[in-house]
Amino acid sequence: MSDAGLTLGLEEDPLLLDRQICFPLYAATNLLGRLYGPVLGKLNLTYPQYLVMLVLWEQQPQTIGALGARLYLDSGTLTPLLKRMEGAGLLSRARDQNDERRVVVTLTKRGKTLRNQALHVPETMANGYNAEGVDALRESVRDLVSILAQHSTRSRGSKTA
Amino acid sequence: MSDAGLTLGLEEDPLLLDRQICFPLYAATNLLGRLYGPVLGKLNLTYPQYLVMLVLWEQQPQTIGALGARLYLDSGTLTPLLKRMEGAGLLSRARDQNDERRVVVTLTKRGKTLRNQALHVPETMANGYNAEGVDALRESVRDLVSILAQHSTRSRGSKTA
DNA sequence: CGATAATGTCTTGCGTGCAATCTAATTGCC
DNA sequence: GGCAATTAGATTGCACGCAAGACATTATCG
């Protein structure tokens, strides 16, 4: 109450939780992480670690910077994460000889073979869901990501809309 | 290699990052949080704290359990978060006299008036984006959330009604 | 060639998220 | 009433995620 704003009749409260696009994304991400947890736990992986493995299984070796570009994460997140994975024997980290600033991440044999156990993960997670509409949803969210990434301070500073 | 099942010819590698629905959601959530950060920082709010305020501005007071049901979070997350917000003078926490197990969260005057400064946040965040398709996307993700919530072990679905 | 800027990673500090465990209060059941 | 089961929060321990700063290496420019 005591809203001193101008009410145009069609104006809706912009602060209603159900009007935010950000909240369903936030909730879905948390819920998904919770569902992935037990499944990935059997592989001794966390959800972000699983994503790193997905990238490395596609292409390998890669620098930390390249991993971050793909996953939209920076070294502040990746460095300790990769160290834990190195400790788990999944990968090794070494300075690039051609450019000592870079750190190259390489899968160990153990990291490569883990892929076999991970093959059933997508199927397990999708269990019971009809993929109807999922493809379209994935594309929509992906479009959103590409838009958001352009506005990210980490990539560029252009504020021109 | 790896003949993992019946190949219908259209079988693709299920572990490709771009085939996962979870990853765009994860990336979008991270990117959004990064974009909200500076805007909410002017209100001395983090993004999850902002969501709590959205819920409380809609209805107030509320128990911690009710907040968690709305935001899909549990007390392990909410208790320290709410304590910080209490320390910031935005709300107060008190045991329910009728049921001493519950903790009732009530906005302070400061918490209520903060709403005026928050009114421009959605508009600021949406700056430059055409809302075209956003409504549909929000509904799609919301459907996904409701499906995921049913499968959640924690589903504190105290469906009072 | 040397100063300087840019780049890539590491480190620090803080705030989430979540599983697991704990405690206190209430409910159920007899 | 008495006591086990349930419920609501709090606590603990761990792993992100990010901003900001530190650091070493490389590129750039005079």
Side-chain angles (χ1 to χ4, degrees), chain A residues 53-68:
Chain A
M53 293 305 286
L54 289 185
V55 174
L56 289 175
W57 283 328
E58 285 184 19
Q59 183 174 350
Q60 190 258 343
Q62 288 207 45
T63 67
I64 293 184
L67 283 173

Side-chain angles (χ1 to χ4, degrees), chain A residues 12-120:
Chain A
E12 266 193 45
D13 186 345
L15 291 182
L16 289 179
L17 186 65
D18 289 336
R19 279 185 56 83
Q20 316 300 316
I21 176 61
C22 56
F23 171 61
L25 290 169
Y26 169 85
T29 298
N30 286 344
L31 289 167
L32 268 174
R34 227 173 288 171
L35 290 175
Y36 270 90
V39 177
L40 295 176
K42 293 170 184 168
L43 311 183
N44 287 314
L45 286 177
T46 66
Y47 178 64
Q49 288 172 9
Y50 174 65
L51 294 179
V52 168
M53 293 305 286
L54 289 185
V55 174
L56 289 175
W57 283 328
E58 285 184 19
Q59 183 174 350
Q60 190 258 343
Q62 288 207 45
T63 67
I64 293 184
L67 283 173
R70 192 78 198 283
L71 297 173
Y72 303 100
L73 295 172
D74 69 352
S75 70
T77 298
L78 283 176
T79 294
L81 189 153
L82 292 171
K83 281 186 176 177
R84 281 186 286 271
M85 296 177 75
E86 185 179 36
L90 296 175
L91 49 84
S92 63
R93 305 177 320 124
R95 290 282 168 180
D96 185 339
Q97 292 303 330
N98 297 333
D99 187 341
E100 292 275 350
R101 291 171 301 182
R102 303 189 197 189
V103 170
V104 176
V105 176
T106 309
L107 285 178
T108 62
K109 177 156 295 217
R110 197 157 127 70
K112 288 180 195 165
T113 58
L114 188 65
R115 189 177 187 280
N116 297 325
Q117 302 178 53
L119 274 171
H120 69 86

Side-chain angles (χ1 to χ4, degrees), chain B residues 45-91:
Chain B
L45 285 177
T46 66
Y47 178 63
Q49 290 172 8
Y50 174 65
L51 294 180
V52 168
M53 293 305 286
L54 290 185
V55 174
L56 289 174
W57 284 328
E58 284 184 19
Q59 183 175 350
Q60 191 259 342
Q62 288 207 44
T63 66
I64 292 184
L67 284 171
R70 193 74 199 283
L71 297 173
Y72 304 98
L73 296 172
D74 70 352
S75 71
T77 298
L78 283 176
T79 294
L81 191 155
L82 292 171
K83 281 185 176 177
R84 278 180 223 107
M85 296 177 74
E86 185 179 35
L90 295 177
L91 50 85

